[in-house]
Structures are given as structure tokens and as C-alpha cells.
Amino acid sequence: MSAHQQSSPTHDITILGAGLVGSLLAVYLARRNYSVTIYERRSDPRTAGYVGGRSINLALSDRGWKGLAGVGLEQEVKKWAIPMYGRMVHHPDGSCSPQPYGRPHQAIYSVSRAALNKLLLTAAESTGKVRIVFDRFCARVDLKRRQLYFSNGPDEVHLHSSVPYQLLFGADGAYSALRHAMLFTDHFNFEQTYIEHSYKELHIPPGPEGQWQLEKNYLHIWPRKNFMLIALPNPDGSFTCTLFLHTEGPVSFAALRTPNDVQQFFAHYFADAVARMPDYIHDFFHNPTSSLLYVKCYPWATEHTCLIGDAAHAIVPFFGQGMNCGFEDCTVLDGLMDEVAEWPQRLFLFQQQRKPNTDAICALALNNFIEMRDLVADPHFLLKKKIEQHIAERWAERYVSPYQMVSFSHLPYAEALQKGKLINEVLEELAALPDWQQRLNEPYWQRKVDSVCFGPL
């Protein structure tokens, strides 16, 4: 039997959640001849339509591409994914400046969450091994009896049905029903933290002839110290925009109560964006204000259950790695199926390998928020970027930036975090030297840069 034909005969597999990670996981499991049933609380987006208004467009990078390639979907997604080669920073005076993400060919890709989720659902069903049950709200998981209980929704007390499971994956997001059941088990650690910012989706429509109103191949960002607006391109010529703003306070969502408040706020901070957003006031009051949080917990697995994706490690979206990290969960777990025969050991090794790396990307995402909103226009930060760019150009074949480690490699996140800290220390030291460019010719600095900034990925 080939690796993709091996299957434990005693297990059918159940997944809670038919989102991006749950549906991709189902495809991987089906390719190994498991029979999979997914229970999803929402209606089928392919027939009911995708619920909009709270989107942060996906930024697909190397880890995510690997997950798609592993099930043969990479080329299909590339047909409509839009490459973004860097940030385009929009300054308060209306000027713009590009900041490349890496080498000229390196890009992250703007992808519609709705389109990708629909593709993965169809791919899962087309295996002939996956059954997806929509409109089934899992209200309770009984870990001892290995039973799922369903109700009509989060406000419904009555449990109207139940099904047993043999092996259960919780891919049901930051508010996971499986994780909630685990809260009542011994030695389960859990941390849920809401950051002080929330977000709201806005929209830049296509121009008069369907063209993009901003440069197409960039992630556009309006950093305004402690808050920001971003815009990612869509294939139809529009941009999905997201405003990240304090939830409470003098400059916050709570303070923007009337159309006049919103108009004055946008005119002051985002004048060049407003010129391209004819319906921004309508969007502001029509689209929900959504919270931002991160989740840490452990252990993720028991003998018969396992958390995966956001259910195990939800992160804030500021490194564009939430989906990529979840897809990497799937590829790591798939690799363990080749190495280990029994599911309990696979799940134990999975959580053991992934936990340090998901904690690291959580920290990296929080740090990147500070960089995006506060630092991309800060003189000291720009000086460090200038030094980094000089090093990257001088040693073009060897230097890999912290951003490149995360987005354009498969280096474990924990190693990328540690290496990034060391690189930042060197950049800080060089930024304190007025003649840093000349000093880089000295043997001491060449050895120091070589020992810290370079190395195989």
C-alpha cells in the first residue's frame, strides 16, 4: 500500500468546522482513505452565499501554498490569486512609498476567503470520502462518551440530536466547541486575550472601466500611529479594506457615532482613500465592528480528539499567517501519518511539534501590528530598513530577512522569531553609528553580520 492508501481500519473521522482548515484537513484525510464527516454551523456558502461584511482578505504565502499543493489545488488558486510584492505606505500628506517584502520575485498573494473556502469544500466532496453536514450547530462535546450534541443555535438550550464519534478534530475556530469541552478536563491550560483594537470591513470599488484605483500588486497601508487602514486587491478591480481602530477611547469605534463623526475622521486621517470610497459611510454603519483576539491553550489532544487551526491557536491577522499557519498544521499532521502508525501517538507528536511554533507566530503577529501601524513611517525604523536593504543588496544571495523567513520559507516559526530578534539587535547597533555604511567594511562588523544575519533556511 502507498502512503496515501494507508488507513487505520478502526477509525472514521469527524471534523467540527468546514472553514478553510477543516475542509483542507478533510481532503488530506480522504486522500489516505479515511471516511470523513464534517459538521458545520453555517449554511453551505456555495448555495446560500458567503456572509460578507467582516472580511480581512487572505494573504497566501509559502506555507499556505504548500498546503494547497499537497492536495493538487495550487494551480487552480493561482488562476485568481493576486501577487503583492510589498507594502505601499500612504502617508498623511498623500504621498506614497513602496516597501518590498523580499527579493523582486517574492510576493504574498491576495485571495478571497469566500472563493477559497468554496473551492476547498468542493474538493473535499469530490474525493467521494467526505460528507459535509451544514446548518448543524454543535452545542456540546461529551469527551467521556465520545458524543456530539446539536442544537438550533448558540441561544438554543434544547439539544435536539446527537451523534457519536471515533476520532474528532476541532477545526471550529476561536470559539471552538471542542476546546470548550476540554476546559473542564484536568491540566488543560487556556488563555484568551482580546486586544484593544477592533476591525471593520470597507470597500474601494473598481474604477470606471473596471481598473484598480490603486496600484494592484501591493498591500496598501495607511499607518496612523496606533491605528491603520489596509487594502488588498480583488480580481474584479476592487479592494477589500479593513480599518483597525481602538474599540474604546477618544479616537475609536465607540467615538464615531454619527455620519458626521465618520466623515471628519476619514477626511482627517485617510483623505486619499476616501476619494476612492464612495460608500464608506454606508459601509461603516452597515458592516459590523468585529473583535480581535488570540488564543493559546494546551494540550490540544486527547486519545480521541485534537484541536487544529484557530481552535488551537487563533492569532491576530497582522502577519497574514492565520490561514497559512492552519494549512501548515495540515501538512505537518499529514507528514506524521507517514512516520507514525497509531493516531494517539500522531496527535501527541503533532501538538508537541506545533505548540512552540504557534506561540511564536502569535508573538510575531502582535509585533508586526506595531510595525505596520506605528513604525513604517518612523525615521528610526526607516533607517533600520535602509541598513537592512543595504545588507540584503550587498549579500543578495545570502541574506534572508525575518519577514522572508516567515512568509517565503518553511523555517519553523520559533526559529524565525529567535533569528529575527538577533538580526534586530545588529540593526539597532548599526543604526546608532553615523558611519554605519563604512563600518560594514570592517572585519569586525562583517563577522558579526555574517554570524547573525546569514545561515541556511
Side-chain angles (χ1 to χ4, degrees):
M1 259 186 202
S2 71
H4 286 292
Q5 292 175 320
Q6 293 172 3
S7 175
S8 171
T10 59
H11 281 101
D12 290 338
I13 297 178
T14 303
I15 299 174
L16 290 178
L20 298 169
V21 174
S23 51
L24 180 64
L25 175 62
V27 181
Y28 271 101
L29 293 170
R31 285 164 61 88
R32 292 181 178 272
N33 278 340
Y34 288 99
S35 294
V36 181
T37 301
I38 309 178
Y39 294 100
E40 169 55 51
R41 67 180 64 187
R42 302 167 301 164
S43 299
D44 187 342
R46 296 165 297 180
T47 55
Y50 203 87
V51 178
R54 54 172 76 240
S55 175
I56 303 171
N57 260 37
L58 302 171
L60 188 58
S61 55
D62 281 27
R63 297 169 202 264
W65 283 119
K66 181 180 178 181
L68 293 171
V71 293
L73 294 175
E74 179 185 23
Q75 294 308 313
E76 180 63 29
V77 176
K78 280 191 173 178
K79 293 176 183 177
W80 36 268
I82 300 175
M84 299 180 294
Y85 296 98
R87 301 168 179 155
M88 182 63 74
V89 180
H90 294 252
H91 302 287
D93 63 3
S95 63
C96 299
S97 56
Q99 294 180 355
Y101 284 133
R103 294 170 184 145
H105 67 282
Q106 289 179 321
I108 61 176
Y109 288 76
S110 178
V111 176
S112 162
R113 180 184 297 272
L116 184 55
N117 203 170
K118 291 174 185 178
L119 175 70
L120 289 169
L121 292 171
T122 299
E125 288 181 332
S126 69
T127 63
K129 291 289 206 173
V130 178
R131 181 173 68 102
I132 307 175
V133 185
F134 294 97
D135 298 304
R136 293 296 294 275
F137 182 86
C138 182
R140 185 161 69 88
V141 179
D142 189 323
L143 297 173
K144 289 184 178 179
R145 293 181 175 86
R146 281 188 259 165
Q147 198 86 2
L148 304 178
Y149 294 88
F150 300 95
S151 72
N152 291 322
D155 300 322
E156 175 64 50
V157 176
H158 177 67
L159 302 175
H160 60 66
S161 61
S162 66
V163 296
Y165 66 83
Q166 293 178 295
L167 176 62
L168 175 66
F169 283 94
D172 48 342
Y175 302 102
S176 168
L178 175 56
R179 194 185 66 236
H180 184 263
M182 289 178 165
L183 286 174
F184 300 96
T185 61
D186 195 28
H187 288 89
F188 184 81
N189 296 304
F190 172 68
E191 175 186 349
Q192 174 181 282
T193 304
Y194 286 87
I195 68 170
E196 59 190 5
H197 292 72
S198 297
Y199 74 92
K200 187 181 289 287
E201 178 188 323
L202 302 168
H203 185 68
I204 294 177
E209 297 180 6
Q211 77 275 22
W212 287 270
Q213 295 198 62
L214 301 168
E215 289 196 51
K216 171 185 175 183
N217 297 119
Y218 285 92
L219 188 156
H220 293 264
I221 175 172
W222 290 258
R224 296 298 182 261
K225 286 284 184 185
N226 300 316
F227 61 93
M228 66 179 181
L229 178 72
I230 67 170
L232 278 74
N234 298 310
D236 66 356
S238 68
F239 284 82
T240 298
C241 304
T242 309
L243 173 64
F244 298 98
L245 184 65
H246 279 94
T247 309
E248 304 284 345
V251 182
S252 69
F253 282 114
L256 300 177
R257 299 187 180 93
T258 69
N260 187 57
D261 293 338
V262 174
Q263 186 176 18
Q264 290 187 6
F265 171 78
F266 276 85
H268 181 70
Y269 291 108
F270 308 117
D272 64 326
V274 167
R276 300 174 172 91
M277 302 167 68
D279 298 320
Y280 75 97
I281 294 178
H282 171 270
D283 291 346
F284 189 91
F285 288 102
H286 178 75
N287 292 339
T289 301
S290 302
S291 301
L292 292 163
L293 77 160
Y294 60 89
V295 168
K296 296 181 180 180
C297 64
Y298 201 78
W300 298 350
T302 68
E303 188 175 351
H304 301 287
T305 62
C306 186
L307 300 169
I308 194 167
D310 283 356
H313 49 73
I315 62 175
V316 293
F318 305 115
F319 219 123
Q321 286 294 304
M323 172 197 60
N324 294 288
C325 181
F327 282 10
E328 191 173 60
D329 283 352
C330 295
T331 58
V332 169
L333 186 62
D334 186 64
L336 287 169
M337 290 187 225
D338 288 327
E339 298 174 17
V340 181
E342 299 300 324
W343 271 110
Q345 189 179 3
R346 289 171 182 170
L347 300 181
F348 174 77
L349 290 172
F350 170 71
Q351 66 176 6
Q352 191 178 51
Q353 289 182 21
R354 293 299 287 159
K355 174 62 173 170
N357 291 308
T358 58
D359 284 352
I361 191 55
C362 182
L364 285 161
L366 290 166
N367 293 342
N368 209 48
F369 183 32
I370 297 171
E371 177 176 318
M372 291 173 74
R373 77 186 191 205
D374 296 2
L375 301 180
V376 290
D378 176 76
H380 180 70
F381 174 81
L382 292 174
L383 174 59
K384 288 199 297 179
K385 279 293 180 187
K386 182 179 179 181
I387 297 169
E388 184 180 34
Q389 186 63 28
H390 178 86
I391 292 171
E393 290 173 358
R394 183 167 172 178
W395 291 281
E397 299 304 316
R398 298 181 59 211
Y399 180 69
V400 180
S401 71
Y403 188 92
Q404 289 171 297
M405 294 176 200
V406 171
S407 295
F408 306 129
S409 85
H410 302 287
L411 185 75
Y413 288 125
E415 293 182 36
L417 175 63
Q418 183 58 32
K419 198 165 180 64
K421 289 177 179 177
L422 296 174
I423 290 173
N424 186 62
E425 290 174 6
V426 170
L427 295 176
E428 286 284 357
E429 289 183 57
L430 286 167
L433 303 174
D435 56 345
W436 61 266
Q437 196 162 348
Q438 289 73 34
R439 299 288 287 275
L440 277 172
N441 295 318
E442 298 174 0
Y444 167 80
W445 280 105
Q446 289 191 4
R447 286 194 303 271
K448 185 154 191 172
V449 168
D450 190 76
S451 66
V452 171
C453 298
F454 308 130
L457 285 180

